[in-house]
Amino acid sequence: QVQLVESGGGSVQAGGSLRLSCEISVDLTTIGAHAVGWYRLHSEDDLELVAYITTEGVAEYLASVDGRFTISKDNLKNTVYLQMDRLKPGDTAVYRCNTGHVGDGHYYPQAGYWGQGTQVTVVS
């Protein structure tokens, strides 16, 4: 059974930092994936892709977080990280990771391979 477990969320003052982790129980290649994405769900039930990284290390970001967030991976630990700096109240959301693949510059999530999420709250 494939499991994705997020951690690292919490409450932080605006301008602060958090580092999220997404630990995946299997190697991506065993489930036909070659990328991992971080999504966030705001209270308005709007799920948006924040960043993704491929197995080759290619990363892309949502425009509003580019330059503030950094996605990285540790292949030995099957873990993907999201370093979030200069956080803003608008970054408040539940952050979830997912496995998928990239085609034509777009990230395509795999159905069923989602973590439960970790809450990030940024207070002003």
Side-chain angles (χ1 to χ4, degrees), residues 33-76:
H34 69 261
V36 174
W38 276 102
Y39 285 79
R40 64 186 181 187
L41 180 64
H42 297 280
S43 59
E44 297 80 18
D45 200 23
D46 178 20
L47 187 67
E48 63 179 355
L49 178 63
V50 176
Y52 69 78
I53 187 166
T54 70
T55 52
E56 294 79 20
V58 176
E60 293 289 339
Y61 299 90
L62 181 69
S64 63
V65 308
D66 198 4
R68 299 188 297 121
F69 291 10
T70 304
I71 191 170
S72 62
K73 60 186 177 69
D74 185 328
N75 293 331
L76 292 179

Side-chain angles (χ1 to χ4, degrees), residues 83-116:
Q83 177 67 40
M84 306 186 297
D85 298 317
R86 303 197 309 276
L87 283 161
K88 304 176 181 180
D91 296 319
T92 295
V94 174
Y95 285 72
R96 302 178 69 186
C97 60
N98 159 270
T99 59
H101 63 273
V102 176
D104 297 326
H106 296 283
Y107 179 82
Y108 297 94
Q110 287 181 306
Y113 295 137
W114 290 88
Q116 290 299 308

Side-chain angles (χ1 to χ4, degrees), residues 1-5 23-27 30-31 78 99 111-116:
Q1 183 177 359
V2 180
Q3 289 186 316
L4 289 78
V5 179
E23 185 175 356
I24 305 167
S25 61
V26 299
D27 185 273
T30 64
I31 54 174
N78 285 337
T99 59
Y113 295 137
W114 290 88
Q116 290 299 308

